[in-house]
Amino acid sequence: QKGEITLLLTDSQYAYGLLGREPDIPAWAPLLYQLQLLDFREKPDPLTLPIADRIRIGNQKRETGNFHFQREEYSLAARAYCVALDVLTTRSKDGNDVGVKEEEEEVQDYRVKCLNNLATTQVRLEQFDEALHTSRDVLTLEPNNVKALFRVGKLLSDKGEYKEAMEVLKKALKLEPATKAIHVELSKLVKRQSGGKETQEWKPKPAEMLGDNIAPFLIPSKKKPSGISWKFILGALVVALGSLVTSMILTARN
């Protein structure tokens, strides 16, 4: 009832679980809450809220998702991001936009952050098809988002769709040519295209030189020389010469 006070005992899995909360809550600690119901009201429809309230609530839910993600509670994180995305919209009930340009840009910025975080969470949950779809949603809003481009390229490469993966990763490389992770993923992709044979590797080149033909960016891998190494032969000669000198010294002394 309104104004009522109650005690609520909760198991650790519904509180702070394995990690606890420093400095006052240890791992796997059950908690006893004292709660008072101050007020209650109907849940508002996000489409009826002012844009400023949508941004505030959506950002709170996004930060809640970040909290759970850092604790590796990925299912809870994904749920929070989805709730945030439901709120972060400029649409009204009749389907029209109700925000001004600045508000629309702010909402889109938060949606991109939520979608990127959700896609990363889905990868951790091994929901790869969902992660690919979510990453494409990011690119719909922001076509040059490098995080989404990299993730799409990697997921496509893992699915065996090498041609599209190459196009997406090359676009990401043009935007951020110094990012090592993109070079590494391109190297893996080229090896996969060659059937797993380590006959070629990706050689980083200036981004403006990248075109449809990637042949100039492939260099033969260094093969190990066959036969006996010259270092081994030299070492054997030194040992033999030392033994001969020692033998001659001992003979002269005798």
Side-chain angles (χ1 to χ4, degrees):
Q1 301 296 321
K2 187 175 181 179
E4 181 182 358
I5 297 176
T6 186
L7 297 178
L8 174 65
L9 178 64
T10 176
D11 188 83
S12 62
Q13 66 175 317
Y14 303 114
Y16 292 93
L18 170 64
L19 300 181
R21 189 190 69 184
E22 294 183 352
D24 51 348
I25 302 177
W28 300 123
L31 297 181
L32 180 64
Y33 290 95
Q34 178 177 294
L35 304 176
Q36 182 177 12
L37 181 57
L38 300 177
D39 198 5
F40 56 87
R41 59 184 180 272
E42 292 294 330
K43 180 181 177 181
D45 186 341
L47 300 182
T48 64
L49 293 174
I51 300 300
D53 288 345
R54 301 185 199 185
I55 293 173
R56 175 180 55 81
I57 296 171
N59 202 33
Q60 288 176 350
K61 296 298 182 181
R62 182 180 65 86
E63 291 176 351
T64 299
N66 293 345
F67 170 80
H68 288 300
F69 185 89
Q70 291 169 359
R71 294 170 60 86
E72 300 182 6
E73 298 166 345
Y74 299 125
S75 294
L76 294 175
R79 187 183 308 169
Y81 293 137
C82 288
V83 173
L85 289 168
D86 289 339
V87 177
L88 289 169
T89 176
T90 58
R91 295 287 180 182
S92 62
K93 276 192 170 184
D94 57 10
N96 297 321
D97 286 325
V98 295
V100 297
K101 183 177 180 181
E102 292 77 9
E103 290 177 330
E104 291 177 357
E105 291 176 352
E106 189 174 3
V107 168
Q108 178 170 314
D109 180 59
Y110 282 126
R111 281 192 67 85
V112 167
K113 290 179 180 178
C114 275
L115 287 167
N116 262 329
N117 292 351
L118 176 59
T120 302
T121 304
Q122 290 167 333
V123 170
R124 297 294 178 90
L125 291 169
E126 298 185 358
Q127 299 172 349
F128 301 119
D129 290 336
E130 292 84 349
L132 181 58
H133 183 272
T134 303
S135 298
R136 292 188 189 277
D137 287 343
V138 175
L139 297 177
T140 300
L141 295 174
E142 197 172 289
N144 290 333
N145 188 285
V146 176
K147 288 183 179 179
L149 286 169
F150 174 75
R151 191 183 305 109
V152 168
K154 188 177 187 311
L155 290 170
L156 288 172
S157 178
D158 292 341
K159 288 168 64 72
E161 299 178 21
Y162 300 139
K163 183 178 179 180
E164 186 179 358
M166 179 64 73
E167 293 175 356
V168 174
L169 288 172
K170 281 163 58 177
K171 182 176 180 180
L173 187 64
K174 287 182 180 180
L175 294 168
E176 289 190 7
T179 302
K180 184 178 179 180
I182 301 176
H183 290 290
V184 172
E185 194 59 37
L186 281 167
S187 178
K188 292 180 182 178
L189 177 57
V190 171
K191 289 179 181 179
R192 286 174 174 175
Q193 284 181 311
S194 63
K197 298 178 182 179
E198 297 187 2
T199 56
Q200 295 176 315
E201 64 181 20
W202 180 266
K203 182 180 180 181
K205 292 286 184 178
E208 61 271 12
M209 295 176 62
L210 284 170
D212 294 332
N213 181 18
I214 65 167
F217 308 101
L218 302 178
I219 60 173
S221 60
K222 295 180 180 179
K223 296 183 179 180
K224 295 181 178 180
S226 58
I228 301 176
S229 171
W230 65 269
K231 292 183 179 180
F232 176 80
I233 297 174
L234 181 59
L237 290 174
V238 171
V239 173
L241 183 58
S243 299
L244 179 60
V245 171
T246 303
S247 177
M248 292 176 63
I249 291 172
L250 291 175
T251 302
R253 286 181 178 177
N254 291 334

